[in-house]
Amino acid sequence: MRSVTERNAPDFDDFKGDIEDAERRVAREIDPGSRALVVAILVFVILASFVLPHTGGAKGIDVLAGDDAAIQAAIALPSRVFVWLVLVFSVGFSILALLTRRWAVAWVALAGSAVACPLGMLAVWSRQTVGTAHPGPGIGLIVAWIAVILLTFHWARVVWSRTAVQLAAEEERRRYVAERQPKGLLDDSGDNPDPA
């Protein structure tokens, strides 16, 4: 006859599905911690760089719109692609990732910002090698490029770090699988000393 505590004790298998669901839900989330503030500040700096001179009299907004100021400054394709990547990934997806705390969205922000880094270098280089009639890189372009590099670094740290809850859930799963795994012939030989 079983005792009262044995009859009332729930079987672990009853909760296995709930634990797996919680583990999957936690694995899809990020916890940027104090880096969230750094990312938010860098996004603000990038947004501010759009109103600073990109090159000559053309601001970042002018490069985005492709208006007359950008045409007169002979803005090349690398600058336009860089500014659009920065707007979509470094600003848009970064804000979305901070609001939703989703790992996939943060990964997209990281990937887009990582692609924007070499394009920013190419945009600065293309402004330095332009003819003497056209101005070189402006403060807005350089500030945006440096901020995107820093933002990429911080998103990489956030995306690849594991939270304490994720590590605990993985450890619990490993322990559970190890307990449920049947022991083999070699595993049993270490428990029993040799009778000879």
Side-chain angles (χ1 to χ4, degrees):
M1 185 166 169
R2 295 190 317 171
S3 69
V4 175
T5 57
E6 287 177 349
R7 279 184 272 142
N8 292 338
D11 191 15
F12 186 74
D13 290 334
D14 296 341
F15 300 110
K16 182 179 176 188
D18 294 336
I19 291 172
E20 289 173 354
D21 289 341
E23 183 179 346
R24 279 191 292 272
R25 196 169 37 252
V26 166
R28 289 190 305 252
E29 295 178 355
I30 59 168
D31 182 21
S34 61
R35 288 191 191 276
L37 179 63
V38 176
V39 168
I41 290 171
L42 288 171
V43 168
F44 179 75
V45 167
I46 291 170
L47 283 173
S49 75
F50 287 134
V51 296
L52 294 173
H54 187 84
T55 180
K59 298 178 180 165
I61 296 283
D62 298 328
V63 176
L64 277 172
D67 61 7
D68 291 336
I71 293 170
Q72 289 174 357
I75 298 294
L77 183 64
S79 293
R80 291 177 193 215
V81 173
F82 170 69
V83 170
W84 276 103
L85 282 175
V86 166
L87 180 68
V88 171
F89 293 103
S90 300
V91 173
F93 276 96
S94 291
I95 291 172
L96 194 60
L98 287 176
L99 292 176
T100 63
R101 306 279 181 172
R102 293 288 180 200
W103 182 85
V105 178
W107 196 91
V108 170
L110 166 65
S113 297
V115 170
C117 287
L119 276 172
M121 179 185 66
L122 188 60
V124 170
W125 175 78
S126 70
R127 292 314 307 173
Q128 289 176 335
T129 58
V130 76
T132 56
H134 299 292
I139 189 72
L141 176 59
I142 294 172
V143 166
W145 179 43
I146 292 171
V148 168
I149 291 171
L150 293 173
L151 185 67
T152 302
F153 169 76
H154 286 286
W155 271 133
R157 296 293 303 261
V158 168
V159 165
W160 295 113
S161 68
R162 306 292 288 178
T163 65
V165 176
Q166 289 169 326
L167 293 173
E170 288 174 7
E171 181 62 32
E172 182 63 28
R173 177 178 284 283
R174 275 191 233 112
R175 187 185 62 74
Y176 175 73
V177 168
E179 287 176 359
R180 299 291 183 178
Q181 203 171 33
K183 290 189 175 186
L185 181 63
L186 294 176
D187 294 333
D188 291 337
S189 66
D191 296 338
N192 299 328
D194 187 17

